[in-house]
Amino acid sequence: QVQLVESGGGLNQPGGSLRLSCAASGNIFSIYAMGWYRQAPGKQRELVAHITSGGSTNHTDSVKGRFTISRDNAKNTVYLQMNSLKPEDTAVYSCYAGVLTGKGIYAYWGQGTQVTVSS
């Protein structure tokens, strides 16, 4: 079994910063891609950022220049640094990872962490 545990969400004012973390643990041989989705109330889930095992990244247009995804392979952890937060960034943020385990390659998800941007 593999678990992804997120941390770092919370309430912040517009223009503020937060850093989300997502640590993977369990029967891990290797982690391939990792990333973050978000879902705001009444809206579809949106891919925010994606990072490959080699460190190549993609960010959705609405967060480019404000959010940065990174990872620490030694810690099996992916981060999302969020700067210049806007109210429209309010959502539940969930991490994911493609993991090679002893039984094969599977996708795993974190439980989600709430980010609220409000004055």
Side-chain angles (χ1 to χ4, degrees):
Q1 273 287 18
V2 173
Q3 298 81 37
L4 300 185
V5 178
E6 296 137 340
S7 60
L11 173 65
N12 210 310
Q13 293 184 341
S17 297
L18 282 174
R19 189 174 85 151
L20 305 183
S21 300
C22 172
S25 62
N27 183 23
I28 298 171
F29 283 15
S30 182
I31 300 179
Y32 300 119
M34 304 181 82
W36 294 90
Y37 274 87
R38 68 184 179 185
Q39 187 163 23
K43 294 188 177 181
Q44 288 189 331
R45 188 176 63 177
E46 175 187 31
L47 175 61
V48 178
H50 175 92
I51 185 167
T52 67
S53 58
S56 296
T57 64
N58 280 295
H59 300 77
T60 193
D61 287 346
S62 62
V63 308
K64 283 181 180 177
R66 301 189 298 121
F67 292 9
T68 303
I69 190 171
S70 62
R71 64 190 286 172
D72 184 332
N73 291 331
K75 295 181 179 179
N76 290 334
T77 299
V78 63
Y79 305 97
L80 186 67
Q81 178 67 44
M82 304 187 294
N83 299 328
S84 302
L85 286 164
K86 302 177 179 180
E88 51 264 43
D89 295 320
T90 296
V92 175
Y93 286 71
S94 300
C95 64
Y96 65 88
V99 181
L100 173 62
T101 73
K103 296 184 178 181
I105 301 172
Y106 298 92
Y108 293 92
W109 291 85
Q111 78 283 1
T113 185
Q114 178 69 47
V115 171
T116 302
V117 184
S118 175
S119 55

